[in-house]
Amino acid sequence: MSTQPVPQSPPPDEAVASGRASKGGVALVTTTRADAQARSADGRFVRVVGAALTGTDGDGLPADRFLDREVSWLQFNERVLQLAADPAIPLLERTRYLAIFTSNLDEFFMVRVAGLKRRIATGIAVRSASGLEPREVLEQIGLVAHDLLDQQARIFHDEVRPALEEEGITVVRWEELAPEEQAQLGRIFGEQLFPVLTPLAVDPAHPFPYISGLSLNLAVVLANPKTGKEHFARVKVPPLLPRLLRVHPVPPDSTVDLYHTRFVPLEDVIAAHLSELFPGMEVREHFTFRVTRNEDVEVEEDDAENLLTALEKELTRRRFGPPVRLEVDREIGDRVLDLLVRELDVHPGEVYHLPAPLDLRALHIVADLERSDLHFPAFVARTNVDLAPTESAKARDIFASIRKQDVLLQHPYDSFSTSVQAFIEQAAADPRVLAIKQTLYRTSGDSPIIDALIDAAEAGKQVLAVVEIKARFDEHNNISWARKLERAGVHVVYGIVGLKTHCKLALVVRQEEDGLRRYCHVGTGNYNPKTARLYEDFGLLTDDEQVGTDLSRLFNQLSGLAPRSRFKRLLVAPRSVRRGLLDRIEEQVAREAAEPGSGYIGFKVNSIVDEDIIDGLYRASQAGVEVDVWVRGICALRPGVPGLSDHIRVHSILGRFLEHSRIFLFGRAGAGEAWIGSADMMHRNLDRRVEALVLVDSPKHVEQLRDTMARGMSGDWSHWALTSDGRWRRHHRDDDGAPLPDLQATMIEVHTQRWRKARA
């Protein structure tokens, strides 16, 4: 669950109206004007955001048919917040959702809001597909973001924190500690904190210091006791130290420590010892604040002689991007706030007043506590039954399993380490393997896959790694292990100029008795063993000759010069994914016209924004084709609009795993196609990235994909449904008020039963 606003001035009343959520509920975000004061089904007020246009465009479709993508993203993060507010979810998981909400919003500000501000400043901003001017979008983002942060604070302070205290887990402030506990933390301050802190004064000789993005800081007001003159100083909370310090019982009590855990914010400990940082000065006030900056990397590849070097320089500049948000302690004094606003050059509407502690990413520390009674039930992924149908102490032969049949993997239910990771490791160790080619978008430096590629290169195999070093926020890591691969003799390339390489592909060439055979993996998720335990993804292992030929051609295109490559079982962006999907949508329109009730389209994606794809789905709906869209995050499509999208349903599911797979279904069971791959329905994916979808042709696997889609679109499991007015409604109880089952828990059981049946 591993991915930015500012208001300038209040928008006109007719464009935006708002209401407060009642206690115990989370505000819903919608994109219509008409029902600004309406209540949602569970009685909560909603905030109304968006602009409604009238008339039609050149295609005869309504001009207001697209929802705003930025507001839709905020709605996604609101769904995360609703999980944090749900008392039916284990308490430490609710705590983690609060931390995830903060991380998500940070990235949204750093990229989306920063991008909007940059486009406005440079004069290249244009009206969005939803009909809003960029400044209107920015204003409305700020309004919604303020509401959501207020909601997060209320959920933490009024619901989650008291519930944690009932379980013996407390986040206390300095003044709540006993003298013995304060003395204990005082020793920690002297030994571990004081040596690394750097107090910075502001005066004519010391200009206002640079405040790095997402750093937590103390704004300190000091006074000279002799002259009474006040001074301002800033103390940065060290980012490499735990934000929450564990308070141990004094005297030690192992029994109490086992069942009771107390934390104190690191900034509280620093604040309590400010006099040691400024000896001889009187500490009058101190407040915490946090700045979010524009951290979206821009590198002009066409002008860069060396992309790696250019990116390294850009990452250094990133820390100095302009501010896009200022979070401050709700108790901050006006004089200090005015100073920060002036020196940081932020608009008053970009200031967010929040109760301390700021930056609730710190709650990951609490959520990591080993309290099984407060977490989701333990889950251990099993080996896919097609790779290990029987128990055996003998190492599995992945290649023999693939020769027997194609293998469709669904992580994390199917173990990544015993499938994809084992596939690469076995290829690296097998003397018959001549070459390994792989794309790497996000992974980790200590990944067994990186180690396997290095081992293969050192063993004399031809190893090609197509590395996307511009994977957002992973650039530093990717540069590091790209250089590590190069030093080991791996051929490292950075794909095609002007395009990010986002596809998830691996190709192994092996010498066998009957000649060379190519073994392939095409996936929807990254080659990262850590996130594979948390992200729901599909992957296909196959030795199909046509898939092997297609992958060989695509890797040649990525590493060399093969601009006219054609593919038979792949759709590859930017050339053929959008066109290929639109052609198949039109085929369903024709099929529905010839035989009513035979047309069907099912998309499972992370986001759907592309106007051409959405219009294609609208036309299919107008022709009577049933369209299902399962989207985790952003959705700019309006379902259920009479005459436009009557036959379109949109669902969203969030839970312990991040729904990350992309599935594309066309036609009814027994008479259609199924594709999986890396592409979301967004402009960047379809126009500015190398993406790949593969046709799944095994009837058993097609049925598995259809079953997955049917479950996600069923009303039998907890989900959110998008309405025609752009409002997401949560359905987590049946007509009698009983909780609906969780789909991901069901899928764990489905895969467990499949595994047991194979061994029966």
Side-chain angles (χ1 to χ4, degrees):
M1 300 199 120
S2 148
T3 74
Q4 315 157 32
V6 312
Q8 305 294 348
S9 59
D13 292 339
E14 67 271 20
V16 176
S18 67
R20 290 289 179 182
S22 59
K23 185 175 182 180
V26 180
L28 296 177
V29 183
T30 183
T31 54
T32 60
R33 305 183 189 189
D35 54 354
Q37 299 302 325
R39 290 177 181 267
S40 62
D42 55 358
R44 304 186 186 109
F45 281 116
V46 301
R47 168 177 287 287
V48 178
V49 183
L53 303 181
T54 58
T56 59
D57 63 11
D59 294 330
L61 297 173
D64 62 348
R65 63 191 182 276
F66 301 115
L67 301 173
D68 186 78
R69 63 158 292 164
E70 314 302 349
V71 173
S72 184
W73 186 93
L74 288 170
Q75 290 175 311
F76 152 67
N77 210 28
E78 180 187 48
R79 297 198 288 279
V80 175
L81 203 54
Q82 288 178 333
L83 294 177
D86 188 346
I89 292 175
L91 183 57
L92 289 181
E93 305 297 345
R94 296 173 63 191
T95 306
R96 192 178 305 282
Y97 286 133
L98 287 171
I100 291 172
F101 172 89
T102 298
S103 298
N104 287 348
L105 199 59
D106 286 347
E107 183 173 339
F108 181 74
F109 270 92
M110 289 188 291
V111 178
R112 297 303 308 174
V113 169
L116 275 171
K117 291 190 67 178
R118 184 171 59 245
R119 290 193 293 275
I120 291 172
T122 56
I124 62 173
V126 297
R127 185 184 293 270
S128 69
S130 65
L132 295 176
E133 293 288 351
R135 289 190 180 276
E136 293 178 297
V137 175
L138 211 53
E139 290 167 354
Q140 296 183 358
I141 285 173
L143 289 167
V144 176
H146 275 87
D147 271 359
L148 290 180
L149 282 166
D150 287 344
Q151 288 292 332
Q152 182 198 28
R154 182 192 59 74
I155 292 169
F156 173 60
H157 289 282
D158 297 348
E159 298 178 20
V160 171
R161 187 176 177 183
L164 288 169
E165 291 175 355
E166 292 180 5
E167 296 291 344
I169 303 169
T170 55
V171 179
V172 298
R173 307 310 301 270
W174 178 264
E175 58 272 13
E176 299 174 71
L177 297 171
E180 298 83 1
E181 294 170 325
Q182 291 181 347
Q184 171 198 140
L185 292 171
R187 289 190 292 273
I188 292 176
F189 175 85
E191 296 170 2
Q192 301 179 25
L193 290 175
F194 182 82
V196 301
L197 294 175
T198 304
L200 297 174
V202 176
D203 58 32
H206 301 87
F208 191 87
Y210 176 79
I211 310 297
S212 55
L214 298 187
S215 65
L216 188 65
N217 303 271
L218 287 170
V220 185
V221 178
L222 305 165
N224 187 317
K226 294 182 178 179
T227 64
K229 184 179 180 181
E230 287 192 342
H231 301 269
F232 175 83
R234 171 257 193 163
V235 179
K236 180 179 179 179
V237 178
L240 297 182
L241 296 177
R243 260 295 308 289
L244 297 176
L245 296 180
R246 195 159 180 171
V247 184
H248 296 285
V250 181
D253 185 328
S254 59
T255 303
V256 172
D257 197 36
L258 184 63
Y259 297 103
H260 294 79
T261 309
R262 306 181 79 200
F263 295 98
V264 63
L266 180 62
E267 61 269 27
D268 278 19
V269 178
I270 296 173
H273 296 85
L274 287 173
S275 59
E276 297 183 35
L277 295 174
F278 302 99
M281 299 293 285
E282 175 190 347
V283 179
R284 290 189 171 176
E285 295 180 302
H286 59 81
F287 308 100
T288 51
F289 70 96
R290 182 172 180 254
V291 176
T292 310
R293 293 184 177 276
N294 174 2
E295 298 203 11
D296 199 12
V297 170
E298 289 190 56
V299 174
E300 294 297 332
E301 298 177 58
D302 295 334
D303 300 329
E305 291 185 9
N306 186 310
L307 178 60
L308 199 63
T309 302
L311 185 60
E312 287 177 313
K313 292 179 179 178
E314 178 62 27
L315 289 171
T316 301
R317 290 194 293 270
R318 169 193 270 183
R319 297 183 300 110
F320 300 94
V324 294
R325 177 180 60 165
L326 171 63
E327 297 169 273
V328 297
D329 185 334
R330 186 171 286 171
E331 304 300 321
I332 194 168
D334 291 340
R335 288 184 303 160
V336 175
L337 178 59
D338 290 344
L339 173 68
L340 293 176
V341 168
R342 181 177 67 254
E343 294 292 343
L344 293 170
D345 192 24
V346 297
H347 188 278
E350 298 172 325
V351 179
Y352 290 75
H353 297 259
L354 301 168
L358 303 182
D359 188 6
L360 292 185
R361 292 179 302 172
L363 292 178
H364 277 300
I365 296 173
V366 178
D368 286 339
L369 286 173
E370 294 184 4
R371 286 284 301 270
S372 60
D373 56 320
L374 302 179
H375 283 290
F376 288 125
F379 165 69
V380 178
R382 301 181 187 275
T383 300
N384 183 285
V385 295
D386 291 336
L387 291 177
T390 59
E391 293 284 4
S392 174
K394 185 179 179 180
R396 296 173 306 283
D397 186 339
I398 300 290
F399 300 121
S401 297
I402 299 173
R403 285 196 300 273
K404 182 179 178 181
Q405 62 186 335
D406 287 358
V407 179
L408 184 66
L409 304 164
Q410 187 179 14
H411 310 298
Y413 312 111
D414 294 324
S415 168
F416 181 88
S417 63
T418 61
S419 57
V420 179
Q421 180 180 320
F423 172 59
I424 302 299
E425 289 176 332
Q426 215 168 97
D430 189 336
R432 291 190 177 187
V433 169
L434 306 179
I436 303 173
K437 301 183 180 185
Q438 188 168 5
T439 60
L440 295 171
Y441 188 74
R442 297 186 197 273
T443 187
S444 54
D446 57 352
S447 168
I449 287 181
I450 297 294
D451 294 338
L453 294 177
I454 290 174
D455 291 343
E458 292 177 344
K461 305 181 193 300
Q462 291 291 312
V463 181
L464 171 70
V466 183
V467 176
E468 182 47 70
I469 55 173
K470 294 191 298 176
R472 182 174 287 152
F473 301 119
D474 272 350
E475 296 93 347
H476 279 296
N477 292 334
N478 290 7
I479 288 172
S480 175
W481 53 254
R483 293 201 181 281
K484 182 179 178 182
L485 288 169
E486 287 178 325
R487 287 193 296 270
V490 174
H491 300 297
V492 178
V493 299
Y494 304 108
I496 299 172
V497 171
L499 300 175
K500 277 190 178 183
T501 303
H502 188 250
C503 47
K504 326 297 183 184
L505 310 171
L507 174 66
V508 173
V509 182
R510 190 172 188 261
Q511 179 68 59
E512 299 188 355
E513 294 178 359
D514 56 349
L516 292 179
R517 186 184 294 263
R518 287 173 289 203
Y519 295 87
C520 311
H521 175 263
V522 181
T524 70
N526 300 305
Y527 292 104
N528 189 321
K530 295 179 180 178
T531 59
R533 293 193 289 268
L534 301 172
Y535 285 27
E536 180 273 338
D537 274 301
F538 278 96
L540 179 69
L541 288 169
T542 181
D543 67 342
D544 179 82
E545 185 175 349
Q546 186 57 61
V547 174
T549 299
D550 284 355
L551 286 197
S552 293
R553 289 173 175 168
L554 181 51
F555 274 110
N556 288 342
Q557 187 174 341
L558 292 172
S559 64
L561 296 173
R564 296 189 179 277
S565 298
R566 294 186 179 275
F567 312 99
K568 293 185 178 180
R569 274 193 63 180
L570 293 182
L571 294 175
V572 178
R575 289 185 61 187
S576 63
V577 171
R578 181 189 284 111
R579 187 65 264 162
L581 294 178
L582 288 173
D583 287 346
R584 285 158 178 80
I585 290 172
E586 291 305 316
E587 288 174 4
Q588 293 307 305
V589 171
R591 176 173 293 184
E592 183 69 22
E595 184 183 349
S598 64
Y600 175 77
I601 300 168
F603 283 10
K604 180 181 186 293
V605 291
N606 292 280
S607 300
I608 180 164
V609 170
D610 187 78
E611 291 85 7
D612 288 343
I613 295 292
I614 292 175
D615 281 349
L617 297 179
Y618 283 149
R619 287 191 292 270
S621 175
Q622 289 176 322
V625 178
E626 180 184 341
V627 179
D628 286 337
V629 178
W630 177 355
V631 60
R632 184 187 88 235
I634 303 169
C635 182
L637 179 154
R638 290 184 187 269
V641 177
L644 176 68
S645 53
D646 310 67
H647 300 283
I648 300 179
R649 298 183 301 166
V650 179
H651 283 191
S652 182
I653 292 175
L654 277 67
R656 69 184 294 177
F657 305 132
L658 185 143
E659 293 288 337
H660 190 255
S661 64
R662 292 91 166 182
I663 303 172
F664 305 90
L665 303 174
F666 301 94
R668 298 291 179 181
E673 291 183 347
W675 299 74
I676 63 170
S678 58
D680 280 310
M681 300 297 97
M682 304 180 73
H683 307 138
R684 70 185 188 194
N685 299 84
L686 302 181
D687 297 323
R688 302 191 299 276
R689 289 185 173 185
V690 179
E691 306 277 12
L693 308 183
V694 64
L695 177 65
V696 178
D697 65 355
S698 164
K700 179 179 73 171
H701 296 156
V702 173
E703 180 58 31
Q704 182 180 342
L705 294 173
R706 287 187 178 278
D707 178 71
T708 298
M709 176 64 73
R711 291 175 188 270
M713 299 308 299
S714 168
D716 297 335
W717 285 272
S718 178
H719 67 282
W720 283 264
L722 182 61
T723 59
S724 60
D725 61 3
R727 182 179 305 156
W728 288 93
R729 294 185 182 277
R730 191 180 183 195
H731 299 270
H732 63 298
R733 296 188 180 277
D734 62 20
D735 294 339
D736 298 324
L740 290 173
D742 178 76
L743 177 59
Q744 294 178 348
T746 301
M747 293 305 298
I748 290 175
E749 184 59 28
V750 166
H751 281 259
T752 299
Q753 292 300 329
R754 187 179 299 161
W755 183 83
R756 289 172 177 167
K757 183 179 179 180
R759 285 157 176 73

